[in-house]
Amino acid sequence: MEKTILEMEHITKYIYDAYGKPIRGTNVKILSDVHLDVREREVHILIGENGAGKSTLMKILGGIIPHDEGTVRLFGQEVRFTNPRQSQAMGVGFIHQELDLCLNLDVAENLFLGQEIGRLFSDKREMYRQSRLMLEKLGFDIDPRTPVRRLSTAHQQMVEIVKAVSRESKIIIMDEPTASLTQAEIDHLFEIIRNLKRQGVSIVYISHRFEELKEIGDRLTVLRDGGYVGTIDMADFEHGKVVGMMVGRELSCMYHCSHRPEAGEVLRVEGLKIGPDTVPIDLTVHRGEVVGIGGLVGAGRTELAKSIFGVRRYFGGRIFYHGRAVAGRTPQQWIDDGLMYLTEDRKIEGLVLPMSIEGNITLASLRRLFPYTRLKPRVETAIAREMIDKLRIVCRGPKQAVNTLSGGNQQEVVLGKWLSAKPRLLILDEPTRGVDVGAKAEIYEIIDGLAREGVAILMISSELSELINMSDRIYVMRRGTVSAEMRDPAAFTQESILAHTL
Amino acid sequence: MKGKFLNPKNLILVGLTAAALTTAGLSIPQFLTMENILNVIRQTAIVSLVSYGSAMVIIVRGIDLSVGGLIAFCAMISGIMMKSGYPMVLCFAAGILCGGLMGLFSGVMVEKLEVPAFITTLVIGQVATGLALVLGGGNSLGGFSDAYVFIGNGALLGVPVSIYITAFFVTLSYLIMNRTRLGVHIYALGGNEQVVKNQGVSTAKIRYFVFAYSGVCAAVAGILLSAQMNTVHPQQGGTYQLDAVAACVIGGVNMAGGEGKVYLALAGALTLRFLRNALNLIGLHPYYQNLIVGVLLILIVGVSMYRRNKALEKSLIF
């Protein structure tokens, strides 16, 4: 057996802000007592649902954020990285989930960023030469002088791979590297990974695509809700077992699905083009219906929602609301008319973080509540209390600032904001992203309850189990358009949805 | 590289500039006289010196609004020291050091306390102006040595000394931005700060350098300006504040950060000074000149941001 080169034990990390600093006044853990060991020449799969803590664990290994408790031993030496350069020096390479390139620089400048050749003046010619060699060696046909901005997403991903590989890393973290690659490109990547293994490099590989994992993985570690579930050999891989480990509790108590779609059509979209050259989209949502929208990140799901909601321009097509054609509506007009959009990123687009719970909850209904401009604090507090009780938001009271809440409770505050504005159609964009299992179940219950009251729900989600178990119908999106409509809930499976995403 | 520089967009710009200069030369008799051109070049030296630093700050997604104050304050420091009989080189060094330190302070505020650059530098600029007024007792300082005046108005081998100074700084800035790792890091910081952090590069060092460099540039500009006028006026920075930013914008530095060439800021400064000069010669009051420069600036920024947003929209790939 190959020797173990990385051991992470009892890793615990408390919730932190955008700068990696712990948020005071909270003991919310995003990682709790997590283990990971990686052997030499191994592709170690790290798997878990969104918000399970995979990326956070890897950021600790990559030196981007330090861990709060536990030990990390790399090549037998105990380390606590506070800076990415330290982990790079120890041979850790990192291919990030979000693109980790400066779009305004060229390929070679990105490859050598932070490791430029030369003393006083950098030796550009040498860097271009070496970049060309590295790109050729891995079989990528990219000119190192091209500005990264001009490359396609797949090519940008390749540059990232070259960047991680070129720095003589001993362990390379790949966080969903295939999300934007075609099958041929994925095959190429796997070829590179096998080559790296032969050269003695270990890979920590994060992905959701089961087919891939079986092809490339040696062992697999499952995380759930920031905790460690277990590690298995890929030889023992069983689909149902791994899904069970990822999801944890019984599915039946996780999902509430008691609503029944009604006849009335709420929203109909005809021939909507979200990009100048995309295929038009047709879509309908009925009263009391939960309509799922699946697809990969970047397939245009959020753009579709924003086009409907009037925060983004679209390139042709018509929108009907309760049977009436509407055009050029602003978000304010939509909200007045009962169509609301819960955004994908609550911290950037959903909440005013330093503001109180009550301030956030009443934000979307101020016009309805106080038509004569003057605010009535007592009314605001009463509405916030009602929502806190209804949604079971764990907090000290309506005056608490939302940036001191856990992710799940923050999401419930955003939900509370829209619920208090009385929606008739609610577009939910990743409603359970970065939320723990308990809060997830509560959010599903809320969604189901809304549908039972007759509210139409359009739910964008990257979590297949959520789509499968909550939706009455599913639209799958690919390359800016709807690639499939699935009408029969009995036929919803991970495979059938994935088949339409690529 | 040749094809890159002579693209249609640049050709249009060069053509327009040439047309404007020819029109001005034909319609305004004094415009193309040697004396006038030298005059414009001397003024360009000041604006361009300030703009190199400003361009770097803009490239890291900041803005330096302290340069106006520093032009007066640093010149005042060195002027008072010269009047007290210290050697000229020492006086220059002191003035430049003050500029660098004030810039560095802005950099620390921006990096460590995350104060927006425009607030920090606006306040630092006010403090510098205040200090210039206090140190000079509210008065101008004049009657400097011949050597100092020579730096401002003299010529070596038929070329004004001011040109040597701005040439030195544009070369230095060019080398920093295009030949050193620091330069790449400056562009990278303006492009995507998180990427820089993920590479383990210290964003603090980059910011400290950029803001300090901008302070140094402003100090040199201030000292040179006083040499040209043989006077330190406590509010001499006035118009240069706007003109430095205008030079960057005309020179194509992207106000959203990450893109721009310092040597094009020199071209921007030249264009701007010729414009102001032409407006002067046709007898337009300086008040109107600021109005015109301001409108021009808004137009250029507006159009370039509009084009950028359009391009972003088009480049959306699903």
Side-chain angles (χ1 to χ4, degrees), chain B residues 4-316:
Chain B
K4 225 174 168 183
F5 185 72
L6 287 179
N7 66 27
K9 200 175 125 198
N10 284 353
L11 276 181
I12 290 172
L13 272 180
V14 172
L16 279 179
T17 314
L21 285 180
T22 318
T23 317
L26 290 177
S27 52
I28 309 167
Q30 312 97 303
F31 191 66
L32 288 182
T33 58
M34 201 60 201
E35 194 194 339
N36 187 50
I37 289 175
L38 277 179
N39 196 11
V40 171
I41 284 177
R42 269 198 295 274
Q43 291 161 349
T44 304
I46 309 292
V47 178
S48 63
L49 273 169
V50 184
S51 72
Y52 307 142
S54 296
M56 283 195 203
V57 176
I58 292 171
I59 287 171
V60 297
R61 300 193 180 196
I63 181 121
D64 193 343
L65 301 180
S66 67
V67 291
L70 291 181
I71 286 171
F73 168 64
C74 301
M76 188 62 84
I77 289 274
S78 87
I80 288 173
M81 284 177 68
M82 273 187 279
K83 281 284 177 194
S84 316
Y86 288 98
M88 203 162 67
V89 179
L90 192 68
C91 304
F92 291 169
I96 292 169
L97 185 70
C98 283
L101 286 177
M102 301 274 270
L104 183 65
F105 184 76
S106 297
V108 173
M109 295 288 281
V110 172
E111 172 72 24
K112 290 294 173 203
L113 301 181
E114 291 163 32
V115 184
F118 87 92
I119 289 288
T120 310
T121 55
L122 185 67
V123 173
I124 294 286
Q126 291 300 310
V127 169
T129 305
L131 282 171
L133 283 164
V134 170
L135 288 174
N139 298 318
S140 298
L141 215 58
F144 291 106
S145 67
D146 290 346
Y148 187 51
V149 176
F150 175 78
I151 290 174
N153 298 319
L156 279 175
L157 307 171
V159 181
V161 179
S162 299
I163 291 189
Y164 288 107
I165 295 173
T166 191
F168 172 77
F169 273 91
V170 75
T171 312
L172 181 66
S173 308
Y174 173 81
L175 288 175
I176 291 170
M177 292 303 271
N178 291 286
R179 291 281 178 268
T180 68
R181 64 179 70 198
L182 180 63
V184 178
H185 293 170
I186 289 170
Y187 281 116
L189 183 61
N192 190 334
E193 180 159 358
Q194 191 57 46
V195 174
V196 177
K197 286 197 169 127
N198 286 349
Q199 297 309 318
V201 177
S202 158
T203 55
K205 279 185 202 160
I206 306 172
R207 282 219 173 80
Y208 295 168
F209 172 81
V210 166
F211 279 91
Y213 188 79
S214 182
V216 167
C217 286
V220 173
I223 293 167
L224 183 62
L225 178 64
S226 290
Q228 287 178 358
M229 301 189 306
N230 194 9
T231 310
V232 181
H233 188 279
Q235 281 169 323
Q236 65 184 8
T239 59
Y240 294 98
Q241 181 81 67
L242 178 68
D243 283 9
V245 178
C248 292
V249 170
I250 295 170
V253 176
N254 189 335
M255 291 303 286
E259 280 161 3
K261 298 280 175 220
V262 277
Y263 55 83
L264 288 180
L266 171 60
L270 203 57
T271 312
L272 185 71
R273 277 330 301 200
F274 267 115
L275 174 73
R276 275 197 186 270
N277 178 253
L279 296 177
N280 246 338
L281 292 181
I282 59 172
L284 203 65
H285 194 277
Y287 294 164
Y288 288 98
Q289 290 180 26
N290 275 339
L291 193 70
I292 288 174
V293 171
V295 169
L296 188 73
L297 204 59
I298 285 292
L299 267 177
I300 296 174
V301 172
V303 168
S304 73
M305 290 309 269
Y306 177 79
R307 286 168 57 117
R308 180 187 146 98
N309 291 345
K310 276 281 159 205
L312 276 180
E313 207 169 56
K314 272 198 186 135
S315 69
L316 249 184

Side-chain angles (χ1 to χ4, degrees), chain A residues 19 64 83-84 88 96 100-102 104-105 114 116 118 121-122 124 149 163 167 278 300 312-313 479-480, chain B residues 114 175 178-181 184-185 187-188 191-192 195 197-201 258-259 310 313 316-318:
Chain A
Y19 302 100
I64 293 160
N83 179 321
Q88 281 170 18
H96 291 264
D100 192 38
L101 299 170
C102 282
N104 57 338
L105 302 184
E116 290 83 357
F121 294 121
S122 47
K124 284 200 167 178
R149 190 191 298 288
K163 186 162 96 173
R167 302 201 170 166
T278 57
R312 175 186 182 279
R313 88 185 194 100
R479 281 189 224 118
Chain B
E114 291 163 32
L175 288 175
N178 291 286
R179 291 281 178 268
T180 68
R181 64 179 70 198
V184 178
H185 293 170
Y187 281 116
N192 190 334
V195 174
K197 286 197 169 127
N198 286 349
Q199 297 309 318
V201 177
E259 280 161 3
K310 276 281 159 205
E313 207 169 56
L316 249 184
I317 305 164
F318 290 105

